[in-house]
Amino acid sequence: MAYSGVGGQAVMEGVMMKNKDIYAIAVRKPDQTIDVTTEHYGTSKQYKIFRKVPIVRGVISFVDSLYLGMHSLMHSASFWEEEDESEKKKDIDPKKEKAQEKAVMTGTVIFSIVAAFAIFFALPYYLSVFVGRWVFNPWLIASIEGVLRMVIFIGYVALISLTKDIRRVYMYHGAEHKCINCIESGLPLDVDNVRKSTRFHKRCGTSFLLVVMIISIVVFMFIRVDSRVLRLVFRLLLIPVIAGISYEFIRLAGRYDNLLIRILSQPGLWLQRITTKEPDDEMIEVGIASVEAVFDWKKWQEEQGE
């Protein structure tokens, strides 16, 4: 069965699902009801044109994921604020509040990008420079840098999974995958069928990040400049290119299912054993609500069966 094209992210006590230029955020509120917010994103003509250009669409998708991810997290977190803070917000001008939220989100995205580069790119690079005092083969040094980057990344993902809140996010991540897998398996989207579906999916953002790490090993091997600062700058500049290439691979993995694709996708699926957990039925209900807000899965399944 061809893939549905629906993708999503887990958020605080909820799931964000995106289909083309529509996305929905479903959140389990403190009163146990499910709030579903649906919005349009990226509807301009120029945006749609660039979304069709190979490599470039990967860069756009990466930026979209950052923006929508932070927006979804802030939206979901707003339902879990203390009541006294909610009372204070009543006296705030809605326009001013929206501007403040946009500023906070922009600052958070910028900080996240800088922190990610420092931890996952700059730190492994300087550690490999230190190792380079005893290793003189540039190809080997580049390989060591790549291995260090992957170890740091996997260690970070595993470490934060030990916290209660992140574990619940990972459970919602599992619910997101199970919903999509249920649809793509041709089963009706209900709690029982979703529960039986696998929580692993080849188009996962976790797999994307791991592919970025792997491809960066190969790309960075070809950076041959004497200046350490320039080598670091080139790594920064090449991140969008690496993200674009990685996106094309994940997209290809979602469209085809053969032995080569399964082998190449396996590392990402292994990593999902950490980043996804089995959800409970209430989390599955949230995932279903998010899917149905943006995607007519019944019509899609009928079209695939014709």
Side-chain angles (χ1 to χ4, degrees):
M1 177 175 285
Y3 86 106
S4 61
V6 180
Q9 296 179 19
V11 297
M12 185 178 294
E13 296 300 327
V15 174
M16 185 278 288
M17 286 286 184
K18 186 174 184 293
N19 180 33
K20 298 179 180 179
D21 57 356
I22 304 175
Y23 71 94
I25 308 169
V27 180
R28 177 73 70 177
K29 296 166 62 177
D31 62 6
Q32 297 307 304
T33 59
I34 300 175
D35 179 89
V36 181
T37 302
T38 306
E39 296 182 28
H40 285 73
Y41 179 82
T43 57
S44 69
K45 184 177 180 180
Q46 293 83 356
Y47 177 90
K48 292 181 177 179
I49 291 174
F50 284 117
R51 286 286 299 180
K52 296 179 181 180
V53 181
I55 306 299
V56 175
R57 61 191 173 195
V59 179
I60 294 174
S61 180
F62 178 68
V63 175
D64 283 352
S65 296
L66 285 174
Y67 175 84
L68 292 178
M70 299 307 296
H71 174 70
S72 300
L73 280 170
M74 292 183 66
H75 175 80
S76 61
S78 67
F79 292 103
W80 294 83
E81 294 176 344
E82 297 294 334
E83 291 184 4
D84 57 341
E85 292 183 2
S86 299
E87 290 295 325
K88 291 178 183 178
K89 281 191 172 184
K90 291 181 179 180
D91 300 326
I92 299 177
D93 181 19
K95 292 184 178 179
K96 184 177 180 181
E97 181 183 358
K98 188 174 181 179
Q100 289 176 343
E101 289 178 352
K102 186 175 181 180
V104 170
M105 184 165 60
T106 301
T108 304
V109 169
I110 293 173
F111 174 79
S112 300
I113 293 173
V114 173
F117 178 75
I119 296 172
F120 302 123
F121 286 90
L123 178 59
Y125 168 70
Y126 281 111
L127 288 175
S128 69
V129 169
F130 178 76
V131 173
R133 297 179 179 181
W134 299 278
V135 179
F136 303 102
N137 186 314
W139 299 98
L140 183 56
I141 293 175
S143 298
I144 292 172
E145 178 190 349
V147 171
L148 287 171
R149 183 176 300 110
M150 292 183 65
V151 169
I152 292 171
F153 172 66
I154 295 172
Y156 170 80
V157 169
L159 185 63
I160 63 174
S161 71
L162 300 178
T163 64
K164 181 181 177 181
D165 289 342
I166 296 300
R167 183 175 179 83
R168 287 190 64 82
V169 171
Y170 285 176
M171 291 171 74
Y172 275 104
H173 190 191
E176 170 215 331
H177 283 191
K178 289 167 81 76
C179 286
I180 295 175
N181 282 323
C182 178
I183 294 171
E184 295 180 349
S185 297
L187 297 173
L189 187 63
D190 57 43
V191 173
D192 289 336
N193 287 326
V194 172
R195 193 190 305 118
K196 292 183 293 186
S197 300
T198 177
R199 73 177 197 266
F200 308 120
H201 200 287
K202 290 184 293 184
R203 292 199 317 275
C204 174
T206 303
S207 298
F208 169 79
L209 291 175
L210 189 60
V211 171
V212 166
M213 300 293 171
I214 295 173
I215 292 178
S216 69
I217 297 175
V218 179
V219 174
F220 291 165
M221 281 183 175
F222 295 94
I223 298 178
R224 290 287 182 266
V225 291
D226 295 330
S227 171
R228 293 178 181 177
V229 175
L230 279 179
R231 286 202 296 267
L232 194 58
V233 170
F234 281 137
R235 279 160 170 73
L236 175 62
L237 295 177
L238 284 170
I239 288 176
V241 178
I242 295 169
I245 297 171
S246 302
Y247 174 83
E248 296 302 324
F249 170 78
I250 294 297
R251 193 168 184 269
L252 188 69
R255 287 180 175 273
Y256 300 101
D257 184 20
N258 54 52
L259 180 60
L260 179 60
I261 291 295
R262 287 196 293 271
I263 292 173
L264 294 175
S265 300
Q266 201 58 50
L269 297 175
W270 286 335
L271 185 59
Q272 288 176 42
R273 294 185 179 277
I274 300 175
T275 62
T276 64
K277 304 297 180 185
E278 286 295 333
D280 58 33
D281 288 356
E282 291 187 349
M283 293 176 175
I284 290 173
E285 290 172 353
V286 173
I288 291 173
S290 183
V291 171
E292 292 186 329
V294 298
F295 186 59
D296 188 347
W297 59 269
K298 293 180 180 179
K299 180 180 178 182
W300 183 83
Q301 287 183 342
E302 288 176 359
E303 291 174 348
Q304 297 303 308
E306 292 177 355

